[in-house]
Amino acid sequence: MSNMVPKLIFSILISLLTHMSFAQQFTFMTYNIRYGTARDGENSWEFRKNGLAEQIKFYEPDVFGIQEGLEFQVEYLDSALSEYNYYGVGRDDGQTKGEYSAVFYKKNKFNVLNNGTFWLSQTPGEISTGWDAQLPRVCSYMVLENKVEGEKIAVFNTHFDHVGEEARKESARLIIQKIQEIKPADAAVVLMGDLNLEPQTEPIKYLSKNLTDARLSSKEVTFGPEGTFTGFNFTEPPERRIDYIFTDPDRIEVIKYAVLTDSKDNKYYSDHLPVYVEVNIK
């Protein structure tokens, strides 16, 4: 009888461990890096690219998405951040022309199960400009699998139009539809990007009904200013919050949320501040 008790306890422990759900921690960042051919004077890409890359290296997110990156900017980050691989295409031709909404991921941490790009339009499978948008807009996505524990994460990265009100409304609806079509049933979801919308607007409210706004759900820390767009103005706090990370309400717990205000010589590394989160994936 005395020998049976330890064996019984051991069996119970093994059963409990087998059925327990352990949360794994990951970090994500979204960053509008400002297109590199803009006439920004002392804030031009050549003067800030090294600092921007070093900033990303310091925070070392597991996955980050950029907006407004042109081919030479994407290639620079790919070269400077050797621990990452990326997927993305230019929005003008589906290859290299125009701005990318690229997704970078730590190549030693994830396997790529799927990737792709769709256009924010009535014909998402074609290079196109949707509704009343001024420019073609895209959403690029990757389905990643953690090499150690096997968690699957579907990451969507986008940049909404800055003019078309109807386009922004329809883009939000299209992305939720595409998430449902693309993500595996056992994958958590992260949506990030520059949405050119503030929190009180209808499309952001719609996204918040289907996903969780990371700023509002952070459990431990919400750090930095609320606004994310600076226009390179270092002397006044940013007022407009237009950059977001949304997460899966069923699979992801946001632990920390921050808008990063790092700078050098009283200059920001972009006209947007990056948004950074630390999450647990159940």
Side-chain angles (χ1 to χ4, degrees):
M1 184 70 176
S2 60
N3 289 334
M4 291 180 62
V5 174
K7 291 180 179 179
L8 179 60
I9 294 173
F10 180 75
S11 297
I12 293 172
L13 286 171
I14 291 297
S15 178
L16 287 171
L17 289 170
T18 301
H19 291 90
M20 283 178 67
S21 177
F22 293 99
Q24 296 296 316
Q25 193 172 93
F26 298 91
T27 54
F28 297 87
M29 177 188 286
T30 182
Y31 207 158
N32 181 321
I33 65 171
R34 177 67 169 170
Y35 68 99
T37 56
R39 296 179 180 179
D40 288 327
E42 61 185 5
N43 293 307
S44 295
W45 174 249
E46 285 302 312
F47 299 126
R48 56 188 177 84
K49 65 180 184 180
N50 182 67
L52 188 146
E54 291 298 311
Q55 183 187 27
I56 295 172
K57 282 183 184 179
F58 179 81
Y59 289 99
E60 54 179 0
D62 294 314
V63 181
F64 70 93
I66 64 165
Q67 301 86 41
E68 289 197 18
L70 299 174
E71 181 187 16
F72 68 90
Q73 293 174 283
V74 175
E75 289 182 346
Y76 172 78
L77 290 177
D78 185 42
S79 174
L81 305 173
S82 58
E83 65 270 38
Y84 294 89
N85 279 339
Y86 80 92
Y87 164 75
V89 299
R91 67 188 186 187
D92 292 351
D93 67 351
Q95 298 181 46
T96 61
K97 291 183 179 180
E99 297 174 9
Y100 289 56
S101 291
V103 180
F104 287 75
Y105 63 96
K106 284 188 175 178
K107 56 190 178 185
N108 67 342
K109 195 163 189 174
F110 297 103
N111 294 315
V112 179
L113 303 183
N114 189 15
N115 59 37
T117 294
F118 56 89
W119 275 256
L120 303 182
S121 76
Q122 299 92 322
T123 54
E126 302 173 6
I127 301 164
S128 50
T129 301
W131 304 286
D132 57 349
Q134 188 174 52
L135 299 166
R137 301 287 183 171
V138 297
C139 180
S140 290
Y141 63 88
M142 301 195 77
V143 180
L144 302 171
E145 180 184 53
N146 180 12
K147 291 182 178 182
V148 176
E149 299 293 339
E151 298 93 349
K152 296 183 181 69
I153 310 167
V155 182
F156 294 77
N157 179 37
T158 192
H159 188 184
F160 282 8
D161 197 67
H162 63 302
V163 173
E165 292 185 11
E166 186 68 18
R168 291 194 289 264
K169 291 178 184 178
E170 294 300 331
S171 293
R173 296 183 182 279
L174 176 63
I175 283 178
I176 293 300
Q177 175 189 327
K178 286 294 185 179
I179 286 174
Q180 295 167 349
E181 292 175 4
I182 291 167
K183 86 170 192 75
D186 57 346
V189 173
V190 174
L191 168 64
M192 60 177 69
D194 171 4
L195 304 187
N196 275 311
L197 290 163
E198 295 184 60
Q200 73 276 11
T201 57
E202 180 183 329
I204 298 301
K205 290 180 178 178
Y206 176 79
L207 291 172
S208 298
K209 289 179 181 178
N210 291 273
L211 299 167
T212 300
D213 184 337
R215 179 180 177 85
L216 303 182
S217 63
S218 178
K219 300 293 184 183
E220 295 181 7
V221 177
T222 301
F223 180 76
E226 182 172 355
T228 61
F229 178 72
T230 69
F232 291 116
N233 186 346
F234 193 79
T235 61
E236 296 180 9
E239 294 183 357
R240 297 181 63 211
R241 180 182 173 221
I242 59 175
D243 301 89
Y244 297 84
I245 296 178
F246 289 93
T247 60
D248 187 331
D250 298 321
R251 298 288 309 280
I252 294 179
E253 180 182 45
V254 180
I255 306 302
K256 298 178 182 180
Y257 169 100
V259 174
L260 306 177
T261 57
D262 305 285
S263 62
K264 182 179 181 181
D265 299 328
N266 295 333
K267 294 182 181 64
Y268 293 123
Y269 299 118
S270 179
D271 62 341
H272 289 242
L273 301 175
V275 178
Y276 176 90
V277 297
E278 180 181 300
V279 309
N280 285 335
I281 296 184
K282 304 170 186 177

